[in-house]
């Protein structure tokens, strides 16, 4: 990987050129950030854990017919993915109230949301990822109305697949954020699905098992992610 050209470095992942122009290599780093990058720490093993967790989830989603960018895992920390033209919009579905929804609307944490809510945020750290709506997406040209409708459909489909998967492991999928891009014109799930971008609570105790452990300084962040993987039956490979 040392020789491959880096295309982009985000807050937790770096993207490198692959051998062919239709693909990229995504490397999951140990960097962990919150509050739009205001809190950053290195958490040992997190990159390897998240890469393997993401591979497991993306495989499940692909198996359910959801188009994803994930091709295959290359090593403990790296995966080969389709090269997408990213849409700068974050799609969030919530099954239980938490985080910004509670802050914004004064809703009690843990309230069940039926039907689950769907929200959009613009990917723009400088502006603190402001909340937007579907008409903004179309008017400002971030995606067409057809692409937007497809993103929404796929985001809800992911809920159908993953809610049951986590429940089987004794966990509640509280909320999650997805990002999409275009591959040969098709709306395709990109980015990652890991405990960094979703909220997971123990079904019985409601203990937090996701990045809120980092945001709220609860400790044992990576150990808890490893516990989530174990509950899903995923055996993690040691880092290389
Ligand atoms: N999320 C994310 N990246 C962001 C913002 C949110 O992955 O830049 C995830 C977050 O982990 C949670 C969901 O999206 O699972 C909803 O986040 P929320 O709007 O509640 O914001 P937060 O409280 O995390 O600031």
């Amino acid at each position: 990987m040392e020789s491959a050209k880096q295309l982009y470095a985000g807050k937790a992942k770096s993207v490198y050129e692959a051998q062919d122009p239709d693909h990229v290599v995504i490397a999951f780093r140990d960097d962990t950030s919150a509050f739009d990058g205001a809190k950053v720490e290195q958490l040992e093993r997190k990159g390897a854990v998240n890469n393997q967790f993401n591979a497991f989830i993306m495989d499940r989603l692909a198996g359910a017919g959801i188009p994803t960018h994930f091709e295959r895992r290359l090593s403990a920390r790296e995966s080969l993915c389709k090269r997408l033209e990213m849409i700068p919009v974050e799609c969030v579905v919530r099954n239980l109230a938490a985080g910004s929804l509670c802050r914004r609307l004064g809703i009690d944490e843990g309230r069940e949301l039926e039907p689950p809510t769907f929200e959009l945020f613009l990917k723009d750290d400088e502006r603190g990822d402001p909340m937007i709506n579907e008409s903004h997406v179309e008017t400002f040209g971030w995606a067409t109305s057809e692409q937007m409708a497809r993103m929404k459909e796929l985001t809800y489909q992911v809920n159908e697949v993953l809610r049951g998967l986590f429940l089987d492991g004794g966990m509640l999928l509280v909320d999650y954020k997805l990002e999409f891009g275009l591959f040969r014109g098709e709306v395709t799930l990109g980015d990652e699905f890991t405990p960094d971008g979703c909220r997971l609570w123990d079904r019985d105790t409601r203990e937090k098992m996701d990045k809120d452990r980092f945001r709220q300084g609860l400790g044992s962040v990576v150990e808890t992610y490893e516990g989530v993987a174990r509950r899903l039956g995923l055996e993690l490979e040691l880092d290389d």
Side-chain angles (χ1 to χ4, degrees):
M1 274 314 305
E2 307 310 325
S3 56
K5 183 178 164 206
Q6 182 172 297
L7 297 169
Y8 172 80
K11 293 196 285 292
K13 301 189 289 299
S14 300
V15 182
Y16 298 89
E17 269 184 350
Q19 274 164 352
D20 72 278
D22 280 345
H23 289 88
V24 291
V25 174
I26 299 186
F28 286 70
R29 306 195 312 270
D30 286 343
D31 297 315
T32 311
S33 74
F35 313 119
D36 297 317
K39 176 175 178 176
V40 184
E41 277 174 37
Q42 293 257 317
L43 299 179
E44 212 179 316
R45 301 193 308 287
K46 200 207 60 160
V49 172
N50 273 3
N51 181 42
Q52 293 172 65
F53 192 94
N54 179 63
F56 176 84
I57 297 288
M58 289 284 174
D59 268 344
R60 293 303 177 97
L61 296 176
I66 292 166
T68 87
H69 71 155
F70 179 77
E71 297 278 20
R72 65 189 160 88
R73 197 156 66 74
L74 296 173
S75 66
R77 285 174 179 272
E78 292 164 356
S79 289
L80 184 71
C81 296
K82 296 186 184 89
R83 187 173 188 156
L84 306 186
E85 191 189 316
M86 292 306 291
I87 295 168
V89 168
E90 301 183 339
C91 297
V92 171
V93 159
R94 300 176 193 269
N95 296 306
L96 294 160
S100 73
L101 180 84
C102 300
R103 295 195 294 274
R104 221 178 319 118
L105 302 179
I107 307 290
D108 287 339
E109 185 179 77
R111 175 165 155 187
E112 284 188 33
L113 304 172
E114 189 50 48
T117 61
F118 177 76
E119 295 171 355
L120 295 170
F121 299 88
L122 180 65
K123 254 186 95 72
D124 185 339
D125 277 344
E126 266 180 42
R127 292 182 174 75
D129 291 350
M131 195 174 192
I132 54 172
N133 66 31
E134 291 177 41
S135 97
H136 294 138
V137 172
E138 189 183 354
T139 296
F140 299 115
W142 295 314
T144 65
S145 59
E146 292 76 17
Q147 289 162 350
M148 183 61 250
R150 182 71 173 143
M151 290 197 283
K152 187 172 178 176
E153 180 186 33
L154 290 172
T155 304
Y156 274 123
Q157 271 181 30
V158 166
N159 206 29
E160 294 311 309
V161 180
L162 296 188
R163 230 152 56 130
L165 183 86
F166 286 112
L167 201 55
D168 287 345
M171 293 168 282
L172 300 171
L173 177 58
V174 173
D175 58 30
Y176 56 91
K177 180 263 301 177
L178 302 180
E179 294 180 28
F180 294 90
L182 300 177
F183 184 72
R184 298 178 182 148
E186 189 191 2
V187 174
T188 302
L189 179 61
D191 192 43
E192 67 181 78
F193 194 103
T194 69
D196 272 359
C198 70
R199 287 193 171 93
L200 297 165
W201 293 350
D202 179 87
R203 182 193 50 203
D204 302 319
T205 64
R206 297 212 164 189
E207 184 194 2
K208 295 181 196 314
M209 305 187 73
D210 52 68
K211 196 155 115 179
D212 273 350
R213 299 202 70 83
F214 176 73
R215 293 189 190 99
Q216 299 175 9
L218 301 175
S220 305
V221 179
V222 179
E223 292 76 5
T224 306
Y225 289 15
E226 288 168 329
V228 172
R230 219 175 301 122
R231 285 185 185 210
L232 296 178
L234 166 61
E235 278 188 38
L236 295 168
E237 202 179 279
L238 287 177
D239 204 353
D240 29 20

